[in-house]
Amino acid sequence: MIPITIIGAGIAGLACARRLTQAGLAPIVLDKGRGIGGRVATRRVDAMQFDHGAQYVTARTPSFAAVLEGLQTAGALGDWPDDDGRQRCVGRPGMSSLAKAMGQGLDIRQGVQVTGVTQTGAGWDLHLGQTLLQTKRVVITVPAPQVAGLLGADHPLTKAVSPVRMAPCLTLMAAVAAPSAFQSRQDHDDPLAWIAHDNSKPDRPQGTALWVAQAGQGFSQQHLEQDPAAIAELMLPLLCDRLGVTADDVVYAAAHRWRYARVTGALGHPFLSSVDGTLHLGGDWCIGARVEAAWQSGTAIADDILARV
């Protein structure tokens, strides 16, 4: 039986696993995807790359600032100040580098989808298709709306996460054969709430201008169920207008749907746990819509487990 299993290799899951590993425990991390980091992600297409999820990371607490400083020393993070000189950090050479650095040395098993979690007399059974994985403790770091699919609608912790609210985000990735108009722009009242020139970040490919545009909450909610090709067709004319270019200047365009991208109503606590302390739930949705919030939640879960072991 595995001592501790963490479901989800986003920042919360990685932070939890790293703290436990540093304390001498041996957790395993399961993730259904091909990459780690969750929304801290980079899409690579031929010689192009796009940070199509989290755009940058900042620190509000000394503890997370120390983490970012260590990642910068290791070469996984670089500075990307905004047009007003305010400091932001980005992964080098992509945002996914942050997650890869956090995951070094951890037992991460990708392409493994957990479809259910049930408690037994000895611990927990994780349902992996037709097989079971037995573990003494389980940490779930999936988005709050997905908890019910793992624990069941009637589980007490499923009911406890019901107040949490998360909103989608539609992202457009585009390569434009025209000079860049600006580094980044944020306007919450615009259907394209965020636009960033990806090449302006450190260690990025140069040449053709690579742009990431992320839609606002209303636009994203309205068009969420359309397929990515249709979403790209809707967003591209908006981006061309904002950049002052024509469709003839666009050499590549694709869209991505983040169904649970933004925390709009946080839990208000770093994590949830079962009465016996063998089940924990956490993620950015516990605290707020920041990479730091995910790290804080995962670290708090690890500290709680260490206090119990």
Side-chain angles (χ1 to χ4, degrees):
M1 180 176 286
I2 297 170
I4 305 172
T5 302
I6 299 169
I7 302 173
I11 297 303
L14 294 175
C16 183
R18 177 153 295 281
R19 178 64 65 92
L20 293 173
T21 300
Q22 290 171 341
L25 303 183
I28 69 167
V29 183
L30 307 180
D31 195 278
K32 65 181 181 181
R34 294 178 295 175
I36 64 174
R39 296 187 300 279
V40 179
T42 303
R43 172 81 61 85
R44 292 177 173 82
V45 183
D46 299 326
M48 302 177 292
Q49 70 174 53
F50 304 89
D51 293 332
H52 63 305
Q55 295 295 293
Y56 58 86
V57 59
T58 59
R60 298 182 181 180
T61 61
S63 54
F64 191 60
V67 171
L68 297 187
E69 183 178 352
L71 292 171
Q72 284 187 303
T73 301
L77 284 185
D79 293 331
W80 186 52
D82 66 14
D83 294 325
D84 295 324
R86 289 173 293 193
Q87 198 55 52
R88 304 176 293 193
C89 292
V90 295
R92 299 175 56 189
M95 283 300 293
S96 60
S97 301
L98 186 158
K100 291 176 181 177
M102 290 182 62
Q104 282 186 347
L106 303 180
D107 186 351
I108 302 173
R109 307 178 188 185
Q110 296 166 250
V112 179
Q113 183 164 6
V114 181
T115 58
V117 177
T118 55
Q119 191 166 21
T120 68
W124 296 86
D125 282 347
L126 307 186
H127 299 261
L128 314 177
Q130 301 300 314
T131 64
L132 290 178
L133 181 69
Q134 295 181 318
T135 184
K136 290 184 178 179
R137 296 176 180 273
V138 61
V139 177
I140 298 175
T141 64
V142 302
Q146 296 179 336
V147 169
L150 295 177
L151 296 179
D154 295 330
H155 193 281
L157 293 189
T158 299
K159 296 178 180 179
V161 304
S162 61
V164 174
R165 296 290 178 264
M166 302 189 75
C169 178
L170 303 181
T171 298
L172 175 70
M173 298 158 279
V176 180
S180 59
F182 47 82
Q183 176 177 294
S184 65
R185 194 201 74 171
Q186 189 170 26
D187 183 352
H188 295 295
D189 296 325
D190 194 298
L192 299 187
W194 169 264
I195 304 174
H197 179 217
D198 231 34
N199 313 68
S200 66
K201 298 176 180 179
D203 298 338
R204 268 37 175 203
Q206 298 302 303
T208 303
L210 305 178
W211 292 93
V212 170
Q214 294 182 323
Q217 183 175 334
F219 185 99
S220 296
Q221 191 69 60
Q222 180 181 357
H223 301 290
L224 177 62
E225 301 307 331
Q226 298 196 44
D227 63 64
I231 292 169
E233 289 185 10
L234 286 171
M235 295 181 68
L236 187 57
L238 299 177
L239 178 63
C240 288
D241 177 74
R242 306 310 185 263
L243 298 181
V245 301
T246 68
D248 292 337
D249 296 315
V250 178
V251 297
Y252 172 84
H256 182 86
R257 297 181 298 181
W258 296 103
R259 187 170 293 274
Y260 305 116
R262 299 185 177 100
V263 181
T264 57
L267 180 70
H269 306 283
F271 60 86
L272 291 169
S273 63
S274 60
V275 175
D276 63 3
T278 61
L279 170 66
H280 288 76
L281 308 183
D284 60 351
W285 50 266
C286 290
I287 303 172
R290 304 187 311 279
V291 174
E292 181 175 15
W295 179 87
Q296 289 174 310
S297 176
T299 301
I301 291 172
D303 288 342
D304 188 66
I305 291 173
L306 292 172
R308 296 171 183 270
V309 172

